[in-house]
Amino acid sequence: MPFLDDPAVLAAVAVVIITALALFLISKKKAVALDPDNFKSFVLTKLEQISHDTIRMTFGLGSDDKVLGLPVGQHIAFRYMDSSAGRYVERMYTPTTGDELLGSVIFVIKVYHANVHPKFPDGGKMSQHLGSLKVGDTLEMKGPRGHMTYLGAGRIRKHAHLRKPEEMRFGGHFAMLAGGTGITPMLQIIENVLKNPNDATTLSLLFGNQTEEDILVREELEVLAAAHPDRFSLHYTLDRPPADWKFSTGFITKEMIEDKLLGKMSKGKEVQFLMCGPPQMIKFACIANIEALGYKKEKYFAF
């Protein structure tokens, strides 16, 4: 076949093969459900009551072969029209599943009911709306949103925001502090790290709540800690613990962070602190104590 000795023919054949391969790979790429610029409606397909004020919601993505399209570390905007006020209510939520789940996305939602907490007599507008939804109802979502993406292998991209340039960070150990519903972005990262045997990042989590009944996704966290004792450590603190409580009590302290987050796993490693929870907790219990331990702002990130 002498024509194969012609360099021009060989080059043309190579172009055809490469083009065909590229088209094949593109065709195999999964369709993405989320739209970063426009809200889309998603149908509630399953609803589970986990506790008196916590529900697990599963939404369909429109087809069984679609992926959510949410990078690790990002979150999603929920929106609904408040007819009594004549305006949209919008809040951010992080799912407990990601692109590994085809056709669906799952959220664990704590419903803040009215007339329960004296400081917040109206409760949470969005969470009460979510608590009112029934299977078959729809919810508007848009995303991804957020200022951080976990790239794997301890690498974090902190996105440009408010005139601050993009910043790349690395952590051989992630020291995580979460309060209440702030656990969901932590679980997202923990699961992503632990499912990858090539990601050597280790993790420790200090999770604060009011009562033992308030601890979200406890079963998922404890299964992960038991399965990966050399890679992930888990500790709780409660404001109002039961009599037989074996973990910590009270607000997060400097000593608690040092003892429970910066133990044997973090030795000799670059540490990055990740935080998510109520603003007062982040400011006074987390950042103040992290800085008291000698860490600068380049070493911590709050969702």
Side-chain angles (χ1 to χ4, degrees), residues 26-296:
I26 290 171
S27 69
K28 298 292 284 184
K29 187 177 180 181
K30 298 292 184 183
V32 172
L34 285 173
D35 186 327
D37 301 313
N38 301 289
F39 278 95
K40 295 172 63 177
S41 292
F42 294 88
V43 178
L44 179 63
T45 59
K46 187 177 181 181
L47 181 62
E48 303 165 81
Q49 192 77 37
I50 299 176
S51 71
H52 69 286
D53 63 356
T54 305
I55 53 179
R56 181 181 287 113
M57 310 181 80
T58 302
F59 291 89
L61 299 182
S63 69
D64 292 340
D65 60 350
K66 277 188 178 181
V67 297
L68 181 62
L70 186 72
V72 178
Q74 301 272 284
H75 45 257
I76 297 171
F78 287 2
R79 184 179 79 168
Y80 80 95
M81 171 57 72
D82 182 352
S83 56
S84 63
R87 61 174 180 268
Y88 284 108
V89 176
E90 185 175 326
R91 298 288 187 274
M92 303 299 170
Y93 285 86
T94 303
T96 57
T97 57
D99 289 358
E100 78 286 348
L101 180 63
L102 295 180
S104 298
V105 58
I106 301 173
F107 297 86
V108 173
I109 306 294
K110 187 178 180 68
V111 180
Y112 293 94
H113 295 286
N115 303 314
V116 173
H117 197 295
K119 289 186 178 180
F120 308 100
D122 296 331
K125 281 184 175 292
M126 177 60 76
S127 69
Q128 289 182 92
H129 173 73
L130 296 173
S132 73
L133 296 181
K134 304 293 187 292
V135 170
D137 290 343
T138 61
L139 179 69
E140 290 188 305
M141 303 184 199
K142 182 170 74 171
R145 295 281 191 89
H147 307 307
M148 184 269 256
T149 300
Y150 180 60
L151 303 175
R155 295 169 300 138
I156 293 172
R157 175 184 290 125
K158 189 169 181 287
H159 301 288
H161 179 61
L162 298 177
R163 300 184 179 179
K164 294 181 180 179
E166 180 178 286
E167 180 184 348
M168 292 298 298
R169 296 186 182 183
F170 172 78
H173 180 81
F174 290 160
M176 311 173 103
L177 301 102
T181 56
I183 189 59
T184 49
M186 303 301 178
L187 179 61
Q188 185 191 41
I189 292 173
I190 292 165
E191 289 185 324
N192 185 267
V193 169
L194 296 180
K195 74 181 181 184
N196 183 359
N198 298 316
D199 193 331
T201 311
T202 54
L203 314 107
S204 54
L205 170 65
L206 179 54
F207 187 14
N209 285 278
Q210 293 286 318
T211 69
E212 189 171 15
E213 291 72 29
D214 292 326
I215 300 175
L216 297 180
V217 296
R218 183 175 186 176
E219 182 179 354
E220 291 91 331
L221 291 169
E222 293 182 357
V223 166
L224 290 169
H228 304 277
D230 298 326
R231 300 179 65 194
F232 173 46
S233 67
L234 171 65
H235 192 77
Y236 304 104
T237 185
L238 296 178
D239 289 348
R240 301 190 299 277
D244 58 349
W245 183 243
K246 63 179 181 179
F247 298 99
S248 295
T249 299
F251 294 122
I252 293 171
T253 64
K254 182 179 74 169
E255 292 73 23
M256 209 181 288
I257 293 173
E258 195 167 28
D259 183 41
K260 304 305 179 183
L261 296 184
L262 302 176
K264 181 171 62 175
M265 280 187 193
S266 69
K267 295 301 181 187
K269 295 183 177 181
E270 198 77 22
V271 175
Q272 278 285 330
F273 290 90
L274 304 178
M275 305 168 282
C276 190
Q280 296 291 89
M281 170 193 146
I282 297 298
K283 182 177 180 180
F284 297 109
C286 297
I287 292 176
N289 288 318
I290 289 168
E291 291 185 341
L293 288 168
Y295 292 91
K296 305 300 183 185

